[in-house]
Amino acid sequence: WPDLTNIITLLIPIGSCEQHGPHLPLDTDTQIAQEIAARSAARSGNCYVAPAMSITASGEHQGFPGTLSIGNEALILCVVELCRSADWAHRIILVNGHGGNFAAVTSACNTLHGEGRHVVAWWPKGSPDDLHAGRIETSVMLSIAPKEVALPSMTSGPVPTIDDLATLGVQSLSPTGVLGDPTGATAAEGEQWLSAWVDDLANIIRDNS
């Protein structure tokens, strides 16, 4: 702990444990959030990357084996209490890798802001036509964990609206769990996405110093 007395920014990766089609691992969101946080911390001074929150709100993936979820209410409480415990850091940045956590993380941040805590929620910017286990996530995983990508199992899926996704869940929309098309994904493209995300997060870290 003495090595952490001068920490200004605490980065908390928030991922998920959920199906990512037949070709990506269950912890895809967690691995991506951890990678972004680690690269951003390496570029910024006085940053510490906390252990990732890896089981979060994944109710929309209910029915797929491997999916684990604590739901929105529990996630809100977890994020609030976790950030309250980190008053030793000047500010906290939640590095989110799972879009299904948006409502819970936003609610938690509102509570923490009301308590006067400096907490920022950061999300990687993607594409509305590539919602889940599509080309972007597949490319990024080919970059950071290529041995965990089962290329022969890749398959495409529909691209529903966010409202349909929230109302109907993934399984009724895509039996494979894929929402998008991973075809053509490459490690080089994954590095491009990672570079852009790290640049963005590093700017957030600098601007909130």
Side-chain angles (χ1 to χ4, degrees):
W1 69 264
D3 295 335
L4 303 181
T5 55
N6 293 321
I7 291 299
I8 295 176
T9 303
L10 175 65
L11 303 177
I12 304 178
I14 303 180
S16 69
C17 180
E18 63 187 31
Q19 69 81 25
H20 272 77
H23 65 293
L24 293 178
L26 298 173
D27 64 343
T28 290
D29 292 339
T30 304
Q31 289 198 51
I32 292 174
Q34 288 176 312
E35 184 73 14
I36 295 168
R39 293 190 185 196
S40 300
R43 286 177 43 175
S44 308
N46 296 322
C47 280
Y48 178 73
V49 180
M53 297 182 67
S54 58
I55 299 178
T56 54
S58 297
E60 69 273 19
H61 296 277
Q62 187 71 29
F64 286 98
T67 296
L68 296 174
S69 174
I70 60 174
N72 284 317
E73 291 187 13
L75 180 58
I76 292 170
L77 182 60
C78 285
V79 172
V80 167
E81 292 297 337
L82 186 62
C83 292
R84 284 173 176 167
S85 76
D87 283 342
W88 46 269
H90 175 67
R91 66 173 179 268
I92 299 169
I93 299 180
L94 305 173
V95 183
N96 294 281
H98 172 45
N101 292 333
F102 183 81
V105 169
T106 300
S107 178
C109 285
N110 288 340
T111 296
L112 293 162
H113 294 161
E115 296 173 352
R117 289 182 165 83
H118 192 172
V119 180
V120 176
W122 179 89
W123 306 83
K125 298 176 178 66
S127 167
D129 297 326
D130 193 16
L131 294 177
H132 186 74
R135 179 166 177 150
I136 295 175
E137 284 188 313
T138 302
S139 291
V140 173
M141 288 302 291
L142 283 170
S143 173
I144 65 178
K147 293 182 179 180
E148 297 186 44
V149 181
L151 290 174
S153 299
M154 284 198 311
T155 183
S156 61
V159 183
T161 66
I162 296 297
D163 288 343
D164 283 346
L165 177 58
T167 302
L168 301 174
V170 176
Q171 193 171 51
S172 65
L173 298 167
S174 174
T176 66
V178 177
L179 301 175
D181 186 0
T183 303
T186 66
E189 182 176 347
E191 275 299 316
Q192 290 177 350
W193 283 104
L194 282 169
S195 178
W197 292 337
V198 171
D199 284 346
D200 185 53
L201 181 53
N203 288 335
I204 298 295
I205 294 172
R206 185 187 66 246
D207 292 344
N208 283 270
S209 60

